[in-house]
Amino acid sequence: MNITLTVNGRAYGLDVEPRRVLGDVLREECGLTGTHLGCEQGVCGACTVVVDGGAVRSCLMLAVQCDGRSVRTVEGLAGPGGEPHPLQSAFSAEHALQCGFCTPGFLMLAAAALESDPAIAGDPERLRELLTSNLCRCTGYEPIRRAIVRAAVRP
Ligand code: FES
Ligand code: FES
């Protein structure tokens, strides 16, 4: 099936089987391997990307469902000159990653949340609830929480 995905502002004309999930197509057809696939069943959140402004699990969404839609991946976070996104700087400053496998998913989850609802960074309860969406097996969640608050305060 022929589809057009706009990923990080670039249009990709693709011929994909209807059964293929967005995460695989981003990695294998678009060459955007920053999106990581862990559980592939909607549990870990490592595969989180942003579709039309909302965070989605790219292992659960079919690529054909994204035809004509706008997708943002971790490769699209940095600025036009390659400068890190405030979340990327804050994750580094707060040591919010170790192996980094979960990091693209947390970054995209946080980017979508801060853009649609900046007040979430100042609401510990809702921020904690947001972070329960994704799993990290190295760092623990406190540095990740601090990094998101830091990015919101110093955009
Ligand atoms: S790989 Fe998608 S939720 Fe784990
Ligand atoms: S930094 Fe390793 S799983 Fe999160």
Side-chain angles (χ1 to χ4, degrees):
M1 186 171 168
N2 291 314
I3 62 170
T4 302
L5 293 184
T6 301
V7 187
N8 304 328
R10 174 179 162 189
Y12 292 81
L14 303 168
D15 183 9
V16 298
E17 290 178 59
R19 66 176 179 80
R20 295 190 72 199
V21 297
L22 177 62
D24 285 339
V25 168
L26 288 170
R27 290 177 57 86
E28 294 165 18
E29 309 302 329
C30 303
L32 297 169
T33 55
T35 298
H36 295 162
L37 288 149
C39 67
E40 300 191 58
Q41 51 185 326
V43 175
C44 73
C47 65
T48 302
V49 299
V50 177
V51 177
D52 289 341
V56 304
R57 280 154 156 52
S58 66
C59 69
L60 294 184
M61 189 168 222
L62 298 171
V64 295
Q65 291 177 283
C66 298
D67 184 23
R69 301 177 73 181
S70 177
V71 182
R72 195 169 172 209
T73 69
V74 71
E75 289 90 345
L77 274 187
E83 64 275 16
H85 186 281
L87 278 166
Q88 292 172 309
S89 299
F91 268 59
S92 173
E94 296 289 351
H95 306 289
L97 63 150
Q98 287 185 33
C99 79
F101 190 85
C102 69
T103 308
F106 273 106
L107 287 170
M108 301 317 290
L109 179 76
L114 290 181
E115 284 168 17
S116 65
D117 178 18
I120 196 170
D123 185 332
E125 192 64 34
R126 285 199 299 133
L127 184 54
R128 195 176 309 119
E129 182 66 27
L130 177 77
L131 295 181
T132 63
S133 167
N134 285 24
L135 299 179
C136 174
R137 286 296 179 247
C138 306
T139 308
Y141 294 86
E142 182 55 20
I144 296 171
R145 186 199 64 77
R146 283 201 311 267
I148 294 171
V149 171
R150 183 183 184 122
V153 172
R154 303 178 204 177

